[in-house]
């Protein structure tokens, strides 16, 4: 044996990075991508059914059928039976029907969970992730706050199980029959309509969907183009602008020829209908649209429709007034409302007048502007909305003047300020202020109050139900008015529901209006636009806003003011807490005082003793009383084992998709991605994404994903597909062991004989050794490693051989 | 005995050491489609002929997997191949003589892989019977039931483990091939070589093997009988090696007509001999039709003329059906050899520790209550048991899940189990 000293020059240490791609999918048809934990699993290998040895006789068991087969031999030998075939067949059937054991079939899956309503595992997981991981990673990941970005869009969609006649109705009351004055939302002598639009897929035949409509003034609709996507839905769209009396033609009654000329079978002029070229908008792309008219006395009545900075359609109107902002007809009333997301069809006269959408009783119940006290209670007698929009919208603005190209370009990239001439502005931003109205506390209880959070706090912390406060997202920033949310409001259930096992959300989601309400606001993924968050500045500006401040929810986890964020901490005031005790058991004093639980909420149909901003907390906030945690529970977690990713999830590779968000009946698909810095953003658009906007976080080293946006709390509930790349470092130490010429040329093996390496005549060496292995010793010559060669290597005296040994860690 | 330090020592007597063997059984369920499917049956193209035509390539055996064998998680279940006895009529009737120099058998060009089939038979005989010239016979040891045309199934270690449990084996296959004759015809144009059969279902099992235990060079052996007539022994099962030897002439209807295309050393047929085969390319022959060997039978014609791949393909594709029923089943046996060592600590033993912290600075044993050194009894928390040989060298260490209190009021027996 020869010993050669190994120095640092003989050792090389390097790292190999493996980056396996993982896809995990779960749906009603099953799970793919999970890991089997039994390495020896084979579908042909089953456990033995031991029932017969456990003293329980079962004639169908494997062992019974085997015994019967064996016994049949004796009967056959004794002549009592002709054949054992039937018994053998039963034995094979018993084998075939034997099951695999649970141990053999155990698989590792990605776990999706929500915090729950009890102090159980899931809640403590939330607790530890929120309090430990978020604070640990906050210095690395800028968005690691229990808050999400206040960047949203209006999501209009249609589906089998949601109402198609829902619409946002903004008051534009002129006083109607009482007196004639200015219609603030009908810029009749010149205008600019400006918005971002993302058309979405819709079923064929495609019906035009209306974006903005004011009766007899204007209608802007989305019309399908000529292209079809592989899924059979339109891939291209165009815009149609109707002005003046032409706006009273329902969009679906307008025929658009190939040369863009329009006609209708109705006896209404089509002179003021303008259509952009076919395929001017693409599905799932964010487009900036600006529709401008200079007025007759300026630029000669020139107007155009500009999409993404390019003029797509030019038109000229040589009239002083292009909108009938106040009615000139004796029996038709003023167009008292702006409709967003649908097209109003009705007579707008008498008991069917538009102003009745804001009747005194409705205004009181829903916190709306009652601009005409002479209107009687109740909705309009006859009306319909048959043109639901299938698109996402944000940054909707109406100006009373023509905006020049530079202004259009600027406002397409950044949010507006409240400048002169801006008549209407719907970002939509979450604001803490909302009007006093009927607010649900449970599906069966309501009070008169207002809401200050993104979701209904009493519902969430009382009975774990989700009710998005749509009112807090839909304020018009110019006039600070709120819309009538027609068929988008929470429904109070006055009757008893005799079905056990339903959750509050189950009950709420039995209403299509509620489902659509909760999905009308979605995180915005338009990366070509940056909102002007300074619009949210309100009250006295402090570095750390106080609890009563309008900015109190625009803070990060450290309590500092950040207008981009909506905080999900401190959703309740301190006085809401009545106990620090948790999960009071039956018969305890705490239980007696707390009175109700999420499973058995207070049975008062209406409670009139609000504390703080809501009801008596002892009756309502039962989840909070149990957990003592007033941070948002409207979050969802995905927990991945490191079996999936190795050392960490490789940043920038994570993607998760829910193709049918719960409650949307397959109409809303959401895709989320990570930005490589721990942020999860929405990424559905085919155009540039707003990677800075946060809906959640990912912790790469821990395999944890948190979706914080309450608008996505049901993300993945009915199935999802997740894909990412893992990262696994393989550390390798390579030893280069030299066997120099002139060394290692003899063996201490007693059987060693000096022989020639080969019998060839050309052989010059008279002796050789076989190298069979290498041992590595420490300083004290203890063997610490040993490597055996696959086959012995001949080494002649003059041979120089280098043996490389690699050790992976 | 060497000087033992660092603990308390007690000699383990032979009475305190017990060696036991327990067994673990698993159920093997091989379903039909795994045997018949081409995605789950792997062939190895290791044999290549020369001579006429492009040559024939074939495996010497094929392997049946439990799923698509290209997947990393696939497990091989068994190898299947065929062999011929050198002295059987299938070989002797076909052979044209012996090469004088080497002594190897000669065969006509219409046959294929005859010497390989014989060698395979000899290899199994050498491994299982101890002599390559021995013949398998069913019943085992019979002088009349020689298996001349054998089908070998060798189960992999993952499934057979230490042995196959007696009287648990059953195999279902269809003894007859599908009908090869068209309604019209005498020309027998329809191929049945690759057509799944449901004719002549048979179940073959080793019942009765427990009462007739035999042992040979390859370990324990049992007879496989036809469940429809248990007097009809159709093969052997070698329990320890996990190998099944079936007599093809008994488990199949050997005299049944067989027709279809097989690989052969042949040139392309240029004349338009039409059948369902169309024009024949080079390297393909058809048996059992007017194109050639019109009255071909499974035995001997297919076993002589076809390559091992073609024969195994025919057996697996057509005789096991293609459903999800059980085709082959047995229970395996895993022997778990355990040594149980009872380490007994009587009341006065192992109540002290050599851990330095057991004593205070003055060398007195620490007590719970200061000043009670004279009255409180010593106790210890054994955490580990070390097993030493007679020279004091540490052989094995057993760690307890938690320390256990030992005092002079307790005797404790630590049972150490070593599984092999």
């Amino acid at each position: 044996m020869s010993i050669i000293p190994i120095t640092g020059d003989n050792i090389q240490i390097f790292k190999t990075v493996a980056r396996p791609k993982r896809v995990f999918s779960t749906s009603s048809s099953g799970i793919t991508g999970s890991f089997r934990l039994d390495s020896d699993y084979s579908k042909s290998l089953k456990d033995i059914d031991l029932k017969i040895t456990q003293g329980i006789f079962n004639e169908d068991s494997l062992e019974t059928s085997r015994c019967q087969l064996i016994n049949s031999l004796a009967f056959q030998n004794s002549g009592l039976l002709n054949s054992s075939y039937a018994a053998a067949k039963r034995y094979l059937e018993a084998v075939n029907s034997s099951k695999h054991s649970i141990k053999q079939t155990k698989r590792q899956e990605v776990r999706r969970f929500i915090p729950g309503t009890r102090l159980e595992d899931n809640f403590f997981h939330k607790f530890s992730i929120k309090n430990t991981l978020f604070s640990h990673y906050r210095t690395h990941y800028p968005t690691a706050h229990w808050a999400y970005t206040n960047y949203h869009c209006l999501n209009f969609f249609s589906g089998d199980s949601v109402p198609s006649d829902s619409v946002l109705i903004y008051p534009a009351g002129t006083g109607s029959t009482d007196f004639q004055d200015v219609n603030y939302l009908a810029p009749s002598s010149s205008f600019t309509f400006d918005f971002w639009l993302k058309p979405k897929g819709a079923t064929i035949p495609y019906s035009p969907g209306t974006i903005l409509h004011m009766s007899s003034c204007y209608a802007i609709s989305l019309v399908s183009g000529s292209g079809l996507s592989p899924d059979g839905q339109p891939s291209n769209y165009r815009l149609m602008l109707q002005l003046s009396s032409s706006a009273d033609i329902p969009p679906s009654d307008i025929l658009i020829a190939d040369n863009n000329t329009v006609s209708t079978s109705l006896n209404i002029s089509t002179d003021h209908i303008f259509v952009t070229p076919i395929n001017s908008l693409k599905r799932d792309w964010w487009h900036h649209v600006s529709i401008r008219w200079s007025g007759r006395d300026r630029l000669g009545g020139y107007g155009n429709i500009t999409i993404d900075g390019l003029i797509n359609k030019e038109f000229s109107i040589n009239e002083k007034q292009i909108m009938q902002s106040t009615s000139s007809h004796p029996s038709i009333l003023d167009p008292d409302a702006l409709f967003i997301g649908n097209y109003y069809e009705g007579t707008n006269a008498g008991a069917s007048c538009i102003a009745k959408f804001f009747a005194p009783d409705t205004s009181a119940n829903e916190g709306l502007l009652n601009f005409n006290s002479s209107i009687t209670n109740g909705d309009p007698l006859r009306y319909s909305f048959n043109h639901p929009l299938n698109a996402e919208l944000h940054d909707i603005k109406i100006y009373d003047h023509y905006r020049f190209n530079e202004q259009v370009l600027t406002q397409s990239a950044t949010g507006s300020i409240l400048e002169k001439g801006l008549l209407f502005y719907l970002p939509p931003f979450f604001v803490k202020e909302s009007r006093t109205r009927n607010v649900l506390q449970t599906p069966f209880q309501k009070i008169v109050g207002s809401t200050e959070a993104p979701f209904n706090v009493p519902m969430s912390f009382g009975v774990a139900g989700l009710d998005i406060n749509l009112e807090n997202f839909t304020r018009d920033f110019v006039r600070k008015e709120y819309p009538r949310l027609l068929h988008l409001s929470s429904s109070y259930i006055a009757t008893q529901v005799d079905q056990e096992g339903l959750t509050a959300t189950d009950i709420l989601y039995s209403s299509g209006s509620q489902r659509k309400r909760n999905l009308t606001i979605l995180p915005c993924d338009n990366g070509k636009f940056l909102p002007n968050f300074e619009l949210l500045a309100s009250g006295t500006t402090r570095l750390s806003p106080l609890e009563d401040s309008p900015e109190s929810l625009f803070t990060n986890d450290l309590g500092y003011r950040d207008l981009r964020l909506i905080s999900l901490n401190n959703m309740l005031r301190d006085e809401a807490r009545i106990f620090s005790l948790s999960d009071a058991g039956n018969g305890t004093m705490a239980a007696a005082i707390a009175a109700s639980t999420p499973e058995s909420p207070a049975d008062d149909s209406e409670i009139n003793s609000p504390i703080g901003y809501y009801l008596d907390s002892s009756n309502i906030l039962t989840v909070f009383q149990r957990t003592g945690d007033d941070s948002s529970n409207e979050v969802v977690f995905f927990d991945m084992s490191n079996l999936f990713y190795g050392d960490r999830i490789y940043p920038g590779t994570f993607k998760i998709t829910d193709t049918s968000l719960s409650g949307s009946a397959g109409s809303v698909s959401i895709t989320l991605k990570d930005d490589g810095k721990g942020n999860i953003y929405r990424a559905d658009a085919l155009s540039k994404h707003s990677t800075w906007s946060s809906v959640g976080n990912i912790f790469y080293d821990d395999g944890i994903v948190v979706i914080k946006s309450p608008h996505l709390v049901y993300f993945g509930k009915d199935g999802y597909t997740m894909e990412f790349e893992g990262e696994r470092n393989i550390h390798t130490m390579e030893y280069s062991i030299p066997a120099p010429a002139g060394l290692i040329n003899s063996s201490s093996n007693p059987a060693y004989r000096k022989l020639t390496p080969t019998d060839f005549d050309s052989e010059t060496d008279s002796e050789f050794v076989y190298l069979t292995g290498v041992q590595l010793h420490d300083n004290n010559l203890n063997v610490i490693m040993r490597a055996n060669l696959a086959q012995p290597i001949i080494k002649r005296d003059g041979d120089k051989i280098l043996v490389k040994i690699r050790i992976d860690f | 005995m060497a000087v033992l330090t660092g603990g308390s020592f007690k000699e383990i007597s032979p009475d305190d050491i017990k060696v036991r063997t327990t067994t673990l059984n698993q159920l093997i369920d091989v379903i039909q489609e795994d045997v018949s499917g081409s995605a789950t049956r792997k062939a190895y193209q290791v044999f290549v002929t020369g001579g006429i035509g492009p040559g024939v390539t074939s495996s010497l055996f094929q392997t049946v997997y439990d799923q698509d064998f290209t997947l990393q998680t696939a497990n091989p279940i068994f190898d299947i191949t065929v062999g011929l006895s050198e002295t059987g009529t299938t070989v002797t009737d076909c052979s044209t003589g012996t090469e004088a120099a080497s002594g190897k058998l000669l065969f006509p060009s219409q046959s294929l892989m005859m010497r390989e089939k014989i060698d395979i038979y000899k290899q199994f005989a050498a491994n299982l019977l101890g002599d390559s010239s021995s013949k398998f016979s069913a019943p085992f040891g019979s002088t009349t039931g020689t298996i001349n045309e054998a089908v070998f199934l060798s189960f992999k270690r993952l499934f057979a483990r230490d042995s196959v449990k007696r009287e648990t084996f059953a195999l279902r296959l269809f003894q007859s091939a599908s009908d090869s004759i068209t309604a019209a015809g005498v020309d027998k144009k329809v191929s049945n070589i690759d057509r799944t059969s449901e004719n002549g279902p048979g179940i073959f099992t080793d019942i009765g093997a427990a009462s007739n235990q035999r042992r040979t060079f390859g370990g324990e052996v049992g007879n496989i009988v036809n469940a429809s007539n248990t007097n009809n022994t159709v093969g052997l099962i070698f329990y320890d090696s996990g190998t099944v030897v079936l007599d093809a002439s008994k488990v199949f209807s050997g005299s049944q007509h067989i027709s279809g295309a097989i690989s052969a050393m042949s040139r392309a047929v240029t004349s338009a001999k039409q059948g369902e085969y169309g024009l024949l390319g080079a390297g393909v022959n058809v048996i059992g039709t007017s194109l050639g060997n019109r009255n071909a039978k499974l035995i001997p014609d297919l076993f002589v003329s076809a390559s091992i791949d073609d024969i195994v393909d025919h057996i697996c594709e057509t005789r096991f059906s293609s459903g999800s029923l059980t085709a082959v089943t047995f229970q395996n046996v895993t022997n778990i050899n355990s040594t149980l060592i009872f380490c007994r600590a009587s009341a006065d033993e192992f109540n002290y520790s050599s851990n330095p912290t057991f004593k205070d600075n003055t060398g007195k044993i620490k007590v719970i209550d200061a000043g009670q050194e004279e009255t409180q009894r010593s106790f210890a928390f054994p955490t580990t048991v070390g097993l030493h040989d007679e020279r004091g060298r540490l052989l094995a260490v057993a760690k307890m899940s938690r320390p256990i209190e030992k005092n002079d009021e307790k005797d404790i027996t630590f049972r150490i189990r070593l599984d092999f």
Side-chain angles (χ1 to χ4, degrees), chain A residues 133 136-137 639-642 645 647-649 699-704:
Chain A
L133 289 185
H136 175 73
Y137 285 108
D639 186 359
M640 289 157 269
S641 161
N642 62 1
Y645 58 82
D647 294 333
R648 67 168 181 166
I649 296 169
F699 301 109
Y700 304 108
D701 295 351
D702 304 273
I704 299 282

Side-chain angles (χ1 to χ4, degrees), chain A residues 2-6 10 735-746 769-774 789 793-805:
Chain A
S2 302
I3 296 178
I4 298 173
I6 302 297
N10 299 95
Y735 290 89
S736 298
I737 315 293
L743 286 176
I744 313 181
N745 49 18
S746 69
V769 293
Y770 272 121
L771 299 184
T772 59
V774 179
L789 302 178
I793 300 171
I794 291 176
K795 182 180 182 307
R796 298 174 177 84
D797 188 39
D799 288 344
K800 292 187 288 184
I801 294 176
L802 188 72
V803 180
K804 288 192 172 183
I805 301 172

Side-chain angles (χ1 to χ4, degrees), chain B residues 40-52:
Chain B
T40 53
R41 188 158 35 82
K42 188 177 184 181
Y44 309 88
Q45 304 289 311
V46 294
F47 173 83
V48 183
T49 66
I52 307 167

Side-chain angles (χ1 to χ4, degrees), chain A residues 525-540:
Chain A
D525 60 352
N526 182 9
K528 298 189 280 189
F529 180 79
L530 187 65
N532 175 22
F533 292 109
E534 284 303 318
L535 279 181
L536 296 167
S538 179
T540 305

